[in-house]
């Protein structure tokens, strides 16, 4: 319905443009007649699936640009797919290197303590043989996330390309969030 209304508005403007071109003098240069003052692109409604795919593409560009500008590898952001425990549905996650390393270190430490065996290892308060949950992991590296936030904000101010990609990403996420609410 929106496309039909848009076409009804554009058709008279387009026909008046064609009439004006036909009545224009023929001695215009070839380069002037080759140029069009605007471009009309008509697309159908974008599906939620296509919006998600576009968000992934733009996120990849966003993080690639951040990693390129960022000089500290601990703050580089990596995206990967994983399948959560007790699920068969893969998820895409983007995390900074410091979080990946912290989780790896926790898993390694937990495995080491479990390998030690014995009651004392499991009951010791300082050396718990249980892996930390996501909330505890996030709390442990909170100060690094604050630094990451400052780096992102600084790059948004300093680099126009990074800022534009971020704006595009925000627009796409907003469109996905509000998809179907315009009708």
């Amino acid at each position: 319905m929106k496309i039909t209304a848009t076409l009804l508005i554009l058709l008279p403007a387009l026909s008046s443009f064609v009439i004006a071109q036909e009545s224009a003098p023929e001695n215009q240069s070839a380069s002037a007649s080759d140029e069009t003052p605007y471009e009309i692109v008509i697309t159908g409604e974008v599906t939620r699936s296509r919006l998600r795919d576009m968000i992934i593409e733009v996120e990849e560009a966003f993080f690639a640009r951040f990693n390129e500008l960022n000089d500290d590898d601990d703050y580089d952001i990596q995206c990967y797919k994983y399948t959560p425990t007790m699920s068969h549905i893969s998820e895409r996650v983007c995390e900074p290197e410091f979080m990946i390393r912290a989780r790896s270190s926790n898993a390694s430490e937990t495995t080491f303590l479990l390998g030690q065996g014995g009651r004392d290892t499991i009951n010791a308060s300082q050396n718990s043989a249980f892996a930390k949950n996501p909330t505890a992991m996030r709390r442990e590296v909170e100060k690094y996330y604050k630094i990451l936030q400052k780096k992102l904000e600084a790059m948004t101010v300093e680099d126009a390309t990074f800022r534009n990609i971020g704006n595009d990403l925000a627009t796409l996420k907003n469109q996905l969030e509000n998809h179907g609410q315009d009708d």
Side-chain angles (χ1 to χ4, degrees):
M1 183 163 247
K2 292 177 191 173
I3 294 173
T4 307
T6 305
L7 286 175
L8 289 175
I9 293 169
L10 290 177
L11 284 177
L14 184 58
S15 63
S16 64
F17 176 73
V18 171
I19 292 169
Q21 287 290 32
E22 288 176 357
S23 64
E26 298 211 14
N27 60 0
Q28 292 180 347
S29 67
S31 64
S33 65
D34 289 342
E35 295 177 20
T36 56
Y38 54 86
E39 181 178 344
I40 298 175
V41 177
I42 300 173
T43 59
E45 175 117 3
V46 179
T47 63
R48 284 183 185 272
S49 176
R50 179 64 187 132
L51 274 174
R52 285 187 197 102
D53 291 343
M54 289 174 16
I55 287 171
I56 289 171
E57 290 172 25
V58 175
E59 273 182 348
E60 291 290 336
F62 183 76
F63 294 134
R65 183 67 179 168
F66 174 78
N67 293 345
E68 179 184 328
L69 296 172
N70 178 34
D71 56 355
D72 189 348
D73 291 342
D74 284 343
Y75 294 92
D76 281 354
I77 298 175
Q78 308 299 327
C79 296
Y80 58 91
K81 280 190 169 186
Y82 84 105
T83 305
T85 305
M86 304 299 290
S87 176
H88 296 289
I89 301 170
S90 295
E91 294 179 14
R92 181 174 177 270
V93 177
C94 298
E95 294 183 312
E97 275 296 322
F98 64 80
M99 185 66 180
I100 294 169
R101 287 187 183 133
R103 187 177 303 102
S104 175
S105 176
N106 179 247
S108 177
E109 194 175 297
T110 301
T111 303
F112 175 76
L113 290 172
L114 284 173
Q116 297 278 318
R119 272 187 324 206
D120 296 337
T121 306
I122 295 175
N123 294 328
S125 61
Q126 288 180 336
N127 295 326
S128 174
F130 298 103
K132 295 176 183 159
N133 64 32
T135 305
M137 289 295 303
R138 176 70 187 232
R139 213 174 310 126
E140 187 175 287
V141 295
E142 187 66 32
K143 65 181 179 183
Y144 299 112
Y145 272 106
K146 290 179 181 178
I147 295 169
L148 176 63
Q149 182 67 34
K150 288 179 184 176
K151 286 177 174 279
L152 286 166
E153 289 170 2
M155 284 184 196
T156 301
V157 171
E158 295 168 4
D159 189 70
T161 303
F162 185 73
R163 181 175 46 253
N164 291 338
I165 295 170
N167 289 339
D168 292 345
L169 183 59
T171 300
L172 287 171
K173 285 184 176 185
N174 187 38
Q175 285 179 352
L176 181 62
E177 185 178 308
N178 297 319
H179 190 270
Q181 295 180 4
D182 306 344
D183 300 336

